[in-house]
């Protein structure tokens, strides 16, 4: 699914007051609150019927790791929420290939279906957005 | 141009709020508009009127209040992030208001550019 969908689609977005929001998730799921609060913004943006895309890179790829267990640390395990995104029509999830590889992960280790892109491809994806918010 | 600003870090610990303030002042001086400043994550702490830095240091919270008064800027603090951190109406500095995350998304929609200051 490419965000570069031509002039006609761009005009339609302008008429409907829809912008392309890209949320860049770069931090580990626990240790700081960025990932959890980023997810709250993502859910609100869906309520505003915006064109929402998520990218996970650096330690952010760990947010999607299967089998998170937080009980012993007293932190809330919010990872099931990523699986609920589909229900909010948020289906464009991209993960950076290099970030996965550096951490010994593959797409099979993740709890939702994603598209794996190279750093360069993610750069091109960012170019196509109206709003880029990095957490 | 109409700018929206998002601040994701608290005062003093981090320079994000200072940089955003300098950016806002420079943009206004060039004749641009600031549609809204939205405070999220620890950024909500910028709204705490109980903040009292040493005399020889800048007062980050007061700077925002003054700039907002001079230029009619909307300073919005995220309610969920604020409540988590004990930021409530009774300790809000002048010109700040508490509202929902929807105000951030709306800023993205209405402004020509959304500029993010954070880690």
């Amino acid at each position: 699914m490419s965000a570069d969908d031509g002039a006609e689609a761009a005009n339609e977005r302008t008429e409907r007051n829809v912008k392309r929001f890209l949320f860049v998730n770069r931090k580990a799921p626990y240790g700081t609150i960025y990932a959890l609060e980023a997810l709250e913004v993502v859910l609100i943006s869906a309520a505003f019927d915006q064109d929402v895309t998520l990218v996970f890179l650096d330690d952010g790829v760990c947010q999607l790791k299967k089998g998170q267990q937080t009980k012993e640390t007293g932190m809330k395990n919010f990872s099931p929420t990523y699986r609920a995104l589909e229900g909010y029509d948020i289906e464009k999830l991209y993960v950076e290939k290099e970030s996965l590889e550096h951490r010994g992960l593959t797409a099979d280790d993740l709890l939702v279906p994603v598209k794996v892109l190279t750093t360069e491809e993610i750069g091109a994806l960012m170019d196509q957005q109206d709003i880029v918010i990095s957490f | 141009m109409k700018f929206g600003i998002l601040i994701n870090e608290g005062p003093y610990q981090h320079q994000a709020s200072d940089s955003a303030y300098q950016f806002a002042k420079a943009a206004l001086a060039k004749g641009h508009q600031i549609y809204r400043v939205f405070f999220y994550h620890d950024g909500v702490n910028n709204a705490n009127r109980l903040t009292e830095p040493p005399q020889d240091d800048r007062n980050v919270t007061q700077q925002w209040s003054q700039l907002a008064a001079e230029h009619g800027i909307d300073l919005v603090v995220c309610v969920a992030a604020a409540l988590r951190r004990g930021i409530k109406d009774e300790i809000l500095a002048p010109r700040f208001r508490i509202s929902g995350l929807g105000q951030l998304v709306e800023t993205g929609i209405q402004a020509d550019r959304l500029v993010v200051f954070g880690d």
Side-chain angles (χ1 to χ4, degrees):
Chain A
M1 199 182 298
S2 168
D4 191 13
D5 45 12
E8 204 173 301
N11 286 337
E12 201 211 317
R13 272 195 300 272
T14 308
E15 272 170 32
R16 287 167 44 225
N17 219 4
V18 171
K19 284 195 178 176
R20 284 168 296 187
F21 280 75
L22 177 70
F23 295 101
V24 185
N25 300 281
R26 328 182 61 130
K27 297 198 169 69
Y30 310 102
T32 65
I33 200 170
Y34 296 103
L36 171 65
E37 287 190 332
L39 201 47
E40 290 178 3
V41 182
V42 169
L43 294 173
I44 296 286
S45 65
F48 276 71
D49 289 328
Q50 297 301 297
D51 184 340
V52 177
T53 304
L54 270 61
V55 160
F56 297 84
L57 48 95
D58 299 340
D59 278 346
V61 299
C62 298
Q63 293 176 25
L64 298 179
K65 180 84 176 59
K66 274 181 195 160
Q68 295 178 28
Q69 292 177 18
T70 60
K71 204 168 164 233
E72 299 287 313
T73 62
M75 304 300 287
K76 177 178 165 187
N77 180 358
F78 59 93
S79 65
T81 312
Y82 295 106
R83 259 182 275 160
L85 290 176
E86 204 185 353
Y88 291 86
D89 288 330
I90 298 172
E91 290 164 337
K92 288 181 277 189
L93 274 64
Y94 298 94
V95 174
E96 191 197 39
K97 183 171 175 277
E98 290 81 351
S99 299
L100 279 178
E101 284 173 1
H102 288 159
R103 289 160 184 79
L105 298 170
T106 69
D108 291 336
D109 296 310
L110 307 181
L111 47 78
V112 281
V114 298
K115 195 168 171 195
V116 178
L117 299 180
T118 63
T119 306
E120 224 179 335
E121 288 169 326
I122 285 179
L125 183 71
M126 287 177 172
D127 252 359
Q128 294 159 3
Q129 308 298 319
D130 296 308
I131 310 280
V132 179
I133 301 183
S134 176
F135 289 116
Chain B
M1 193 175 270
K2 240 190 324 187
F3 284 105
I5 293 177
L6 169 62
I7 299 177
N8 287 332
E9 299 294 340
Y12 307 107
Q13 168 85 6
H14 210 285
Q15 207 179 326
S17 186
D18 296 277
S19 303
Y21 173 74
Q22 300 299 345
F23 175 84
K25 270 209 320 191
L28 290 163
K30 289 262 183 191
H32 299 293
Q33 275 175 272
I34 304 294
Y35 178 76
R36 178 175 293 139
V37 183
F38 192 87
F39 297 85
Y40 196 44
H41 298 303
D42 271 358
V44 299
N45 290 312
N46 287 289
N48 188 346
R49 70 172 167 80
L50 301 177
T51 310
E52 214 175 311
Q55 294 270 325
D56 59 352
D57 201 355
R58 79 262 183 242
N59 187 318
V60 175
T61 300
Q62 264 178 27
Q63 282 180 339
W64 280 118
S65 290
Q66 278 162 11
L67 194 70
E70 283 162 26
H71 298 275
I73 303 170
D74 193 16
L75 305 178
V76 178
V77 179
C78 168
V79 62
L83 289 180
R84 259 191 194 117
R85 295 164 175 86
I87 301 294
K88 302 190 174 185
D89 275 327
E90 49 266 44
I91 60 160
L92 276 192
R95 296 279 169 168
F96 285 87
R97 66 185 179 95
I98 293 181
S99 189
L101 267 178
Q103 299 268 299
L104 169 60
V105 179
E106 200 232 11
T107 305
I109 298 169
Q110 298 300 335
D112 298 310
R113 293 281 189 281
L114 178 66
V115 188
V116 185
F117 293 86
D119 211 2

